[in-house]
Amino acid sequence: EAGEPTLRQNQATQASCGVDWTHLMEPDALRERFPWLDTDGDADMEKAAITLGCLGTAHEGWFDPWALLNGMRSKARELGVEYHHGTVMGMTMDSSASTPTIS
């Protein structure tokens, strides 16, 4: 409940910027679309009820940064990069240099 005004404002901001694929959903609509979603909450378990949701029906996805990092590491190793493990004890930056000096 506490976040409902913020969610409404965020979705309104998106709509004002031309985003027409996000839709506010009340609890009944959420339960119908996502039957596994518990919108009722449970005061005994300190679990708040879901009073509003926002669904993006296009241009949505997810990002797995760990998979990206591992993929980049793997390709870098294939290209000959060697990784050295250690502790950085200091770093200085020369304003005229394009990269820092690590010691």
Side-chain angles (χ1 to χ4, degrees):
E1 293 175 357
E4 186 176 332
T6 301
L7 183 57
R8 288 187 185 281
Q9 181 61 49
N10 288 348
Q11 195 275 336
T13 298
Q14 292 172 346
S16 72
C17 293
V19 174
D20 61 359
W21 57 86
T22 60
H23 310 280
L24 292 174
M25 298 178 74
E26 302 292 332
D28 287 342
L30 286 167
R31 279 191 297 273
E32 184 177 327
R33 177 95 184 222
F34 308 103
W36 47 264
L37 191 62
D38 179 9
T39 59
D40 296 330
D42 187 336
D44 292 336
M45 296 180 65
E46 298 182 14
K47 188 176 118 198
I50 297 173
T51 58
L52 187 68
C54 186
L55 175 66
T57 56
H59 312 291
E60 299 291 326
W62 58 275
F63 174 72
D64 184 345
W66 188 246
L68 175 64
L69 176 63
N70 284 324
M72 292 176 71
R73 269 192 212 159
S74 178
K75 185 61 177 182
R77 285 186 180 114
E78 283 179 31
L79 297 172
V81 170
E82 293 180 26
Y83 287 91
H84 299 273
H85 297 277
T87 302
V88 174
M89 302 303 290
M91 185 181 297
T92 58
M93 182 71 172
D94 179 347
S95 61
S96 65
S98 61
T99 58
T101 302
I102 299 172
S103 56

